[in-house]
Amino acid sequence: MGPLEQMADRLRALRGESADRDAAAADNGHRTGVAEPAWDAELAARRDRLLEVFAIMQSDLGGAFYEMAIRDHLRIDVLTQKAAQLQRIDTELAQIDELMQTGR
């Protein structure tokens, strides 16, 4: 399984988890009158935005590499900078996932 397939699986899993949690929260809120905590909704929204940014940046990195490769002019400094930005987003996504799973 390639890196794009892994990312697609991760996106699907996270979006599926979000849909399940939102449905459970709505169901829970309907029965008990208790709504989902605001911070949880904010984290979910932040995660969704970051996932979109991550996918775009990952595509941009791959596209930049491809364009450089077909011109036989790789700029490792540019690729490294783009990869570092992607890693920062991935780290933030991991932190948000951890917060959402532990509830802290």
Side-chain angles (χ1 to χ4, degrees):
M1 177 182 291
L4 289 178
E5 292 168 315
Q6 290 173 346
M7 184 61 201
D9 287 345
R10 183 175 176 192
L11 284 168
R12 280 192 287 278
L14 289 173
R15 287 192 174 140
E17 176 186 318
S18 176
D20 293 343
R21 187 179 48 256
D22 291 345
D27 201 25
N28 215 8
H30 183 330
R31 280 192 230 134
T32 63
V34 177
E36 179 179 349
W39 63 268
D40 195 34
E42 289 173 16
L43 279 176
R46 175 76 177 148
R47 185 192 64 202
D48 290 345
R49 285 190 303 273
L50 284 173
L51 283 170
E52 290 175 21
V53 169
F54 185 89
I56 290 167
M57 289 176 69
Q58 188 176 43
S59 178
D60 184 48
L61 175 60
F65 178 80
Y66 172 78
E67 291 296 327
M68 290 177 191
I70 64 172
R71 289 169 176 73
D72 197 27
H73 185 73
L74 290 178
R75 297 262 327 263
I76 299 301
D77 59 321
V78 173
L79 296 174
T80 302
Q81 182 182 19
K82 288 181 178 291
Q85 292 169 343
L86 193 60
Q87 285 177 323
R88 282 192 289 276
I89 298 296
D90 194 36
T91 299
E92 190 173 347
L93 276 168
Q95 291 170 345
I96 289 173
D97 287 341
E98 180 69 23
L99 281 172
M100 293 181 80
Q101 288 176 0
T102 62
R104 292 185 238 166

